[in-house]
Amino acid sequence: MDKKAELLKEIKGTLIGLKVCYLGEKYGGYLKIGLGEKVYYDETGRKGKFHCQCDISSRQSTWRIIQNNKILCGYGNEVEFNKGIFSSLELGSLVDIIQKTDFDITFMFDCGISVDFICNILEEPQLTITSYPTVAYELCMDGWRKIDPNELFRKVSEIDSVLSDLSEDCCNRWNSIVPKSNNNNNKVCDNCFYFRTINGYFHFWEFGICSNRESPFDGKLVGVSSGCNKLKALKDLIK
């Protein structure tokens, strides 16, 4: 058995059988699945906050939640996040982990729902699994790596810090150049088929590119709350 297969077997032995205790979508499109028991922090500054016995985080990968061959919701590659569906999901216990390629992995749950993670960019890590307090795994472009949880926390914190600074800097600049809201909630860019979101984190969610040739903003940066009189919903374009 090669190293990749050994690590996947080890991960399965750690996770399979544990029940989902937390399902959350973090700002920037991260999906976090907590398994096992919730562990609350003792520190005063973290009162009420917790981590789970094992945490799975999508990090750089896109993700899909699927039931009966239907995508319920997801993030990335034109799949829209549906908060209404997401908040009502109960995944139950993890029953299997299937890794089809180095870049595609599926977590199967006993309720019949599966969660797919698809690696889609070169930034690392693509996916992380932390089993507190002993071990952590990260899925990178060359496969799984086993690391110390403290090292994973340091690496992820550094990545988030850089991305946070970049997105905040862009937001401060871009807010002064994107078209302003027209104060009509039904005619904002976020509701338009031609609004192309920017893949990114933190403030990048608040911006996109207009792809409507009839709009004065075609090919330009717009905000989710910008708008124009050429807005079209998908239903308006289907004959």
Side-chain angles (χ1 to χ4, degrees):
M1 185 182 296
D2 63 22
K3 186 177 180 180
K4 291 181 181 180
E6 287 179 355
L7 279 179
L8 182 58
K9 182 179 179 180
E10 184 176 315
I11 292 169
K12 286 185 177 184
T14 301
L15 301 184
I16 288 177
L18 295 179
K19 187 175 182 178
V20 174
C21 65
Y22 175 80
L23 178 65
E25 181 270 337
K26 302 298 184 180
Y27 196 64
Y30 288 177
L31 176 69
K32 178 167 280 189
I33 304 174
L35 299 168
E37 300 296 327
K38 292 181 179 179
V39 181
Y40 287 87
Y41 293 104
D42 294 328
E43 297 92 332
T44 303
R46 290 184 167 186
K47 187 176 181 181
K49 296 183 178 181
F50 62 88
H51 63 75
C52 300
Q53 182 180 338
C54 295
D55 282 326
I56 303 168
S57 178
S58 62
R59 304 310 305 174
Q60 314 301 334
S61 59
T62 59
W63 52 270
R64 310 278 185 271
I65 297 180
I66 299 171
Q67 186 175 38
N68 298 325
N69 293 319
K70 178 183 178 182
I71 297 175
L72 300 181
C73 64
Y75 179 78
N77 293 344
E78 305 304 321
V79 175
E80 294 187 3
F81 174 67
N82 189 319
K83 196 165 188 175
I85 292 176
F86 186 85
S87 61
S88 67
L89 293 175
E90 294 185 8
L91 300 186
S93 298
L94 183 69
V95 294
D96 200 5
I97 302 172
I98 301 170
Q99 188 158 5
K100 302 169 185 176
T101 71
D102 285 344
F103 313 110
D104 301 294
I105 186 166
T106 298
F107 292 80
M108 307 289 298
F109 297 89
D110 61 3
C111 63
I113 289 177
S114 64
V115 180
D116 287 353
F117 295 94
I118 304 104
C119 302
N120 62 349
I121 54 177
L122 296 179
E123 294 176 9
E124 298 182 346
Q126 297 284 322
L127 175 74
T128 61
I129 297 173
T130 308
S131 179
Y132 297 95
T134 56
V135 67
Y137 309 90
E138 56 181 12
L139 181 60
C140 301
M141 301 305 291
D142 58 352
W144 287 103
R145 298 174 187 170
K146 184 177 179 180
I147 63 174
D148 182 273
N150 292 322
E151 174 67 9
L152 176 61
F153 179 78
R154 181 192 65 78
K155 291 172 65 176
V156 168
S157 296
E158 288 178 351
I159 292 170
D160 283 349
S161 178
V162 171
L163 291 172
S164 177
D165 289 345
L166 171 63
S167 65
E168 184 174 4
D169 184 47
C170 285
C171 182
N172 290 335
R173 299 196 317 271
W174 293 355
N175 272 331
S176 65
I177 61 175
V178 297
K180 301 304 180 184
S181 172
N182 59 12
N183 296 318
N184 185 332
N185 290 332
N186 294 321
K187 290 190 176 182
V188 295
C189 290
D190 200 20
N191 294 332
C192 182
F193 171 78
Y194 292 106
F195 177 74
R196 305 291 81 185
T197 57
I198 297 175
N199 287 332
Y201 307 91
F202 310 113
H203 298 292
F204 286 121
W205 260 16
E206 300 173 19
F207 302 94
I209 302 295
C210 176
S211 65
N212 186 355
R213 69 172 66 198
E214 297 180 2
S215 169
F217 307 119
D218 183 31
K220 297 179 180 179
L221 181 75
V222 292
V224 295
S225 297
S226 300
C228 75
N229 59 6
K230 300 298 182 180
L231 182 144
K232 295 286 186 181
L234 178 60
K235 62 181 178 62
D236 297 326
L237 302 172
I238 297 176
K239 305 300 181 182

